[in-house]
Short mmCIF file of all heavy atoms in Angstrom, two decimals:
data_model
loop_
_atom_site.label_atom_id
_atom_site.label_comp_id
_atom_site.label_asym_id
_atom_site.label_seq_id
_atom_site.Cartn_x
_atom_site.Cartn_y
_atom_site.Cartn_z
N LEU A 1 4.14 -18.75 0.28
CA LEU A 1 5.40 -19.32 0.71
C LEU A 1 6.00 -20.13 -0.43
O LEU A 1 5.32 -20.96 -1.05
CB LEU A 1 5.19 -20.21 1.93
CG LEU A 1 6.39 -20.98 2.46
CD1 LEU A 1 7.45 -20.02 2.99
CD2 LEU A 1 5.95 -21.95 3.55
N VAL A 2 7.27 -19.89 -0.70
CA VAL A 2 7.96 -20.59 -1.77
C VAL A 2 9.39 -20.88 -1.33
O VAL A 2 9.97 -20.12 -0.55
CB VAL A 2 7.93 -19.78 -3.08
CG1 VAL A 2 8.70 -18.47 -2.93
CG2 VAL A 2 8.45 -20.59 -4.25
N GLN A 3 9.95 -21.96 -1.81
CA GLN A 3 11.33 -22.30 -1.50
C GLN A 3 12.29 -21.49 -2.35
O GLN A 3 11.96 -21.06 -3.46
CB GLN A 3 11.58 -23.79 -1.71
CG GLN A 3 10.82 -24.69 -0.76
CD GLN A 3 11.19 -26.15 -0.92
OE1 GLN A 3 12.22 -26.49 -1.50
NE2 GLN A 3 10.34 -27.02 -0.41
N ALA A 4 13.48 -21.27 -1.82
CA ALA A 4 14.51 -20.57 -2.57
C ALA A 4 14.74 -21.24 -3.91
O ALA A 4 14.78 -22.47 -4.01
CB ALA A 4 15.81 -20.53 -1.77
N GLY A 5 14.89 -20.40 -4.94
CA GLY A 5 15.04 -20.90 -6.29
C GLY A 5 13.73 -21.07 -7.04
O GLY A 5 13.75 -21.26 -8.26
N GLY A 6 12.64 -20.97 -6.33
CA GLY A 6 11.34 -21.13 -6.93
C GLY A 6 10.82 -19.86 -7.56
O GLY A 6 11.50 -18.83 -7.61
N SER A 7 9.60 -19.94 -8.04
CA SER A 7 8.97 -18.83 -8.73
C SER A 7 7.60 -18.52 -8.14
O SER A 7 6.95 -19.39 -7.56
CB SER A 7 8.80 -19.14 -10.22
OG SER A 7 10.04 -19.33 -10.86
N LEU A 8 7.20 -17.30 -8.32
CA LEU A 8 5.90 -16.85 -7.86
C LEU A 8 5.44 -15.74 -8.78
O LEU A 8 6.26 -14.93 -9.25
CB LEU A 8 5.99 -16.36 -6.42
CG LEU A 8 4.75 -16.42 -5.52
CD1 LEU A 8 4.26 -17.85 -5.37
CD2 LEU A 8 5.09 -15.84 -4.15
N ARG A 9 4.15 -15.69 -9.05
CA ARG A 9 3.58 -14.67 -9.91
C ARG A 9 2.52 -13.90 -9.15
O ARG A 9 1.52 -14.47 -8.72
CB ARG A 9 2.97 -15.30 -11.16
CG ARG A 9 2.36 -14.33 -12.17
CD ARG A 9 1.95 -15.10 -13.42
NE ARG A 9 1.28 -14.30 -14.43
CZ ARG A 9 -0.03 -14.27 -14.61
NH1 ARG A 9 -0.84 -14.99 -13.84
NH2 ARG A 9 -0.54 -13.52 -15.57
N LEU A 10 2.76 -12.62 -8.98
CA LEU A 10 1.80 -11.75 -8.31
C LEU A 10 0.95 -11.03 -9.35
O LEU A 10 1.43 -10.68 -10.43
CB LEU A 10 2.52 -10.71 -7.44
CG LEU A 10 3.51 -11.24 -6.40
CD1 LEU A 10 4.07 -10.08 -5.59
CD2 LEU A 10 2.87 -12.29 -5.51
N SER A 11 -0.29 -10.79 -9.00
CA SER A 11 -1.20 -10.05 -9.85
C SER A 11 -1.77 -8.88 -9.08
O SER A 11 -1.92 -8.94 -7.86
CB SER A 11 -2.35 -10.94 -10.34
OG SER A 11 -1.88 -12.04 -11.10
N CYS A 12 -2.09 -7.84 -9.79
CA CYS A 12 -2.72 -6.67 -9.20
C CYS A 12 -3.77 -6.17 -10.17
O CYS A 12 -3.45 -5.78 -11.30
CB CYS A 12 -1.67 -5.59 -8.92
SG CYS A 12 -2.34 -4.02 -8.30
N VAL A 13 -5.02 -6.20 -9.74
CA VAL A 13 -6.14 -5.77 -10.57
C VAL A 13 -6.61 -4.41 -10.09
O VAL A 13 -6.85 -4.21 -8.90
CB VAL A 13 -7.29 -6.79 -10.52
CG1 VAL A 13 -8.45 -6.32 -11.39
CG2 VAL A 13 -6.82 -8.16 -10.96
N ALA A 14 -6.75 -3.50 -11.02
CA ALA A 14 -7.16 -2.13 -10.71
C ALA A 14 -8.60 -1.89 -11.11
O ALA A 14 -9.09 -2.43 -12.10
CB ALA A 14 -6.26 -1.13 -11.42
N SER A 15 -9.26 -1.06 -10.33
CA SER A 15 -10.61 -0.63 -10.67
C SER A 15 -10.54 0.51 -11.67
O SER A 15 -9.47 1.07 -11.93
CB SER A 15 -11.36 -0.19 -9.41
OG SER A 15 -10.75 0.97 -8.85
N GLY A 16 -11.68 0.86 -12.22
CA GLY A 16 -11.76 2.00 -13.10
C GLY A 16 -11.64 1.65 -14.56
O GLY A 16 -11.34 0.51 -14.94
N ARG A 17 -11.83 2.66 -15.36
CA ARG A 17 -11.81 2.50 -16.81
C ARG A 17 -10.62 3.18 -17.46
O ARG A 17 -10.56 3.26 -18.69
CB ARG A 17 -13.12 3.05 -17.40
CG ARG A 17 -14.37 2.43 -16.80
CD ARG A 17 -15.63 3.03 -17.39
NE ARG A 17 -15.83 2.63 -18.77
CZ ARG A 17 -16.44 1.53 -19.17
NH1 ARG A 17 -16.92 0.69 -18.27
NH2 ARG A 17 -16.57 1.25 -20.45
N THR A 18 -9.69 3.66 -16.65
CA THR A 18 -8.54 4.38 -17.16
C THR A 18 -7.23 3.73 -16.77
O THR A 18 -6.20 4.40 -16.65
CB THR A 18 -8.56 5.85 -16.69
OG1 THR A 18 -8.59 5.90 -15.26
CG2 THR A 18 -9.76 6.58 -17.26
N PHE A 19 -7.24 2.42 -16.57
CA PHE A 19 -6.04 1.71 -16.15
C PHE A 19 -4.88 1.93 -17.10
O PHE A 19 -3.73 2.05 -16.68
CB PHE A 19 -6.35 0.21 -16.03
CG PHE A 19 -5.15 -0.63 -15.68
CD1 PHE A 19 -4.64 -0.63 -14.40
CD2 PHE A 19 -4.54 -1.42 -16.65
CE1 PHE A 19 -3.53 -1.41 -14.08
CE2 PHE A 19 -3.45 -2.20 -16.34
CZ PHE A 19 -2.94 -2.20 -15.05
N SER A 20 -5.19 2.00 -18.38
CA SER A 20 -4.13 2.15 -19.37
C SER A 20 -3.41 3.49 -19.28
O SER A 20 -2.37 3.66 -19.92
CB SER A 20 -4.69 1.95 -20.79
OG SER A 20 -5.66 2.94 -21.09
N SER A 21 -3.94 4.42 -18.52
CA SER A 21 -3.29 5.71 -18.34
C SER A 21 -2.35 5.73 -17.13
O SER A 21 -1.67 6.73 -16.92
CB SER A 21 -4.33 6.82 -18.18
OG SER A 21 -5.02 6.73 -16.95
N TYR A 22 -2.31 4.65 -16.36
CA TYR A 22 -1.48 4.61 -15.17
C TYR A 22 -0.15 3.94 -15.46
O TYR A 22 -0.09 2.89 -16.10
CB TYR A 22 -2.13 3.80 -14.04
CG TYR A 22 -3.57 4.09 -13.73
CD1 TYR A 22 -4.38 3.10 -13.19
CD2 TYR A 22 -4.14 5.34 -13.95
CE1 TYR A 22 -5.70 3.35 -12.88
CE2 TYR A 22 -5.46 5.59 -13.65
CZ TYR A 22 -6.24 4.59 -13.11
OH TYR A 22 -7.56 4.83 -12.81
N ALA A 23 0.92 4.54 -14.98
CA ALA A 23 2.14 3.77 -14.79
C ALA A 23 1.96 2.95 -13.51
O ALA A 23 1.36 3.42 -12.54
CB ALA A 23 3.35 4.69 -14.67
N MET A 24 2.45 1.73 -13.52
CA MET A 24 2.26 0.84 -12.38
C MET A 24 3.61 0.41 -11.82
O MET A 24 4.48 -0.06 -12.56
CB MET A 24 1.46 -0.39 -12.80
CG MET A 24 0.03 -0.09 -13.23
SD MET A 24 -1.00 0.58 -11.89
CE MET A 24 -0.98 -0.79 -10.73
N GLY A 25 3.74 0.58 -10.52
CA GLY A 25 4.97 0.21 -9.85
C GLY A 25 4.75 -0.94 -8.89
O GLY A 25 3.63 -1.20 -8.43
N TRP A 26 5.83 -1.64 -8.60
CA TRP A 26 5.86 -2.65 -7.55
C TRP A 26 6.90 -2.25 -6.52
O TRP A 26 8.00 -1.82 -6.88
CB TRP A 26 6.20 -4.04 -8.11
CG TRP A 26 5.07 -4.70 -8.84
CD1 TRP A 26 4.85 -4.71 -10.18
CD2 TRP A 26 4.02 -5.48 -8.26
NE1 TRP A 26 3.72 -5.43 -10.47
CE2 TRP A 26 3.20 -5.92 -9.31
CE3 TRP A 26 3.69 -5.84 -6.95
CZ2 TRP A 26 2.06 -6.71 -9.11
CZ3 TRP A 26 2.57 -6.63 -6.74
CH2 TRP A 26 1.77 -7.04 -7.81
N PHE A 27 6.53 -2.40 -5.26
CA PHE A 27 7.41 -2.13 -4.14
C PHE A 27 7.37 -3.30 -3.19
O PHE A 27 6.47 -4.13 -3.24
CB PHE A 27 6.98 -0.85 -3.40
CG PHE A 27 7.20 0.42 -4.17
CD1 PHE A 27 6.33 0.80 -5.18
CD2 PHE A 27 8.28 1.24 -3.87
CE1 PHE A 27 6.53 1.97 -5.89
CE2 PHE A 27 8.50 2.41 -4.57
CZ PHE A 27 7.62 2.78 -5.58
N ARG A 28 8.34 -3.35 -2.30
CA ARG A 28 8.33 -4.37 -1.26
C ARG A 28 8.88 -3.77 0.03
O ARG A 28 9.66 -2.82 0.02
CB ARG A 28 9.14 -5.60 -1.67
CG ARG A 28 10.63 -5.36 -1.85
CD ARG A 28 11.30 -6.60 -2.42
NE ARG A 28 12.74 -6.45 -2.53
CZ ARG A 28 13.54 -7.36 -3.07
NH1 ARG A 28 13.04 -8.50 -3.54
NH2 ARG A 28 14.85 -7.14 -3.14
N GLN A 29 8.46 -4.35 1.13
CA GLN A 29 8.90 -3.88 2.43
C GLN A 29 9.06 -5.05 3.38
O GLN A 29 8.12 -5.79 3.65
CB GLN A 29 7.90 -2.87 3.02
CG GLN A 29 8.37 -2.20 4.29
CD GLN A 29 7.52 -1.02 4.67
OE1 GLN A 29 6.36 -0.92 4.27
NE2 GLN A 29 8.09 -0.09 5.43
N ALA A 30 10.27 -5.22 3.86
CA ALA A 30 10.58 -6.23 4.85
C ALA A 30 10.49 -5.61 6.24
O ALA A 30 10.62 -4.40 6.40
CB ALA A 30 11.97 -6.80 4.62
N PRO A 31 10.25 -6.42 7.27
CA PRO A 31 10.15 -5.87 8.63
C PRO A 31 11.38 -5.07 9.01
O PRO A 31 12.51 -5.52 8.81
CB PRO A 31 10.01 -7.12 9.49
CG PRO A 31 9.39 -8.14 8.59
CD PRO A 31 9.99 -7.87 7.24
N GLY A 32 11.15 -3.89 9.55
CA GLY A 32 12.24 -3.04 9.98
C GLY A 32 12.97 -2.30 8.89
O GLY A 32 13.95 -1.61 9.18
N LYS A 33 12.52 -2.44 7.66
CA LYS A 33 13.18 -1.79 6.54
C LYS A 33 12.23 -0.85 5.83
O LYS A 33 11.01 -0.95 5.96
CB LYS A 33 13.71 -2.82 5.55
CG LYS A 33 14.75 -3.77 6.12
CD LYS A 33 15.29 -4.71 5.06
CE LYS A 33 16.10 -3.99 4.02
NZ LYS A 33 16.70 -4.93 3.03
N GLU A 34 12.80 0.09 5.09
CA GLU A 34 12.00 1.01 4.32
C GLU A 34 11.37 0.32 3.13
O GLU A 34 11.87 -0.71 2.65
CB GLU A 34 12.86 2.18 3.83
CG GLU A 34 13.42 3.06 4.93
CD GLU A 34 14.22 4.22 4.39
OE1 GLU A 34 14.52 4.24 3.18
OE2 GLU A 34 14.55 5.12 5.18
N ARG A 35 10.27 0.88 2.67
CA ARG A 35 9.65 0.36 1.46
C ARG A 35 10.59 0.58 0.28
O ARG A 35 11.09 1.68 0.07
CB ARG A 35 8.30 1.04 1.23
CG ARG A 35 7.46 0.35 0.16
CD ARG A 35 6.00 0.80 0.24
NE ARG A 35 5.39 0.42 1.51
CZ ARG A 35 4.11 0.56 1.79
NH1 ARG A 35 3.28 1.06 0.87
NH2 ARG A 35 3.64 0.20 2.97
N GLU A 36 10.80 -0.47 -0.48
CA GLU A 36 11.83 -0.50 -1.51
C GLU A 36 11.21 -0.62 -2.89
O GLU A 36 10.33 -1.45 -3.13
CB GLU A 36 12.77 -1.69 -1.24
CG GLU A 36 13.83 -1.93 -2.29
CD GLU A 36 14.58 -3.22 -2.07
OE1 GLU A 36 14.04 -4.12 -1.40
OE2 GLU A 36 15.72 -3.34 -2.56
N PHE A 37 11.70 0.18 -3.80
CA PHE A 37 11.27 0.12 -5.19
C PHE A 37 11.73 -1.19 -5.82
O PHE A 37 12.89 -1.58 -5.70
CB PHE A 37 11.85 1.31 -5.95
CG PHE A 37 11.61 1.28 -7.43
CD1 PHE A 37 10.39 1.64 -7.96
CD2 PHE A 37 12.63 0.90 -8.30
CE1 PHE A 37 10.17 1.63 -9.32
CE2 PHE A 37 12.42 0.89 -9.66
CZ PHE A 37 11.19 1.25 -10.18
N VAL A 38 10.82 -1.84 -6.51
CA VAL A 38 11.12 -3.08 -7.23
C VAL A 38 11.17 -2.84 -8.73
O VAL A 38 12.13 -3.24 -9.40
CB VAL A 38 10.09 -4.17 -6.90
CG1 VAL A 38 10.31 -5.41 -7.77
CG2 VAL A 38 10.17 -4.55 -5.42
#
């Protein structure tokens, strides 16, 4: 939870030894809405 105007940093750690071969995307989904490309 953060107030408007604030900042937040998300992290995502992947398993495996080939992480550098992946393109990585971020998406978000609000209730009642489609998953959205970020």
Side-chain angles (χ1 to χ4, degrees):
L1 176 65
V2 64
Q3 294 185 18
S7 298
L8 207 59
R9 181 173 176 260
L10 306 183
S11 299
C12 176
V13 180
S15 65
R17 305 179 70 87
T18 57
F19 176 75
S20 62
S21 70
Y22 313 152
M24 295 295 298
W26 285 96
F27 290 78
R28 65 187 183 184
Q29 187 167 23
K33 299 183 67 176
E34 296 181 349
R35 192 163 297 187
E36 175 188 22
F37 173 78
V38 173

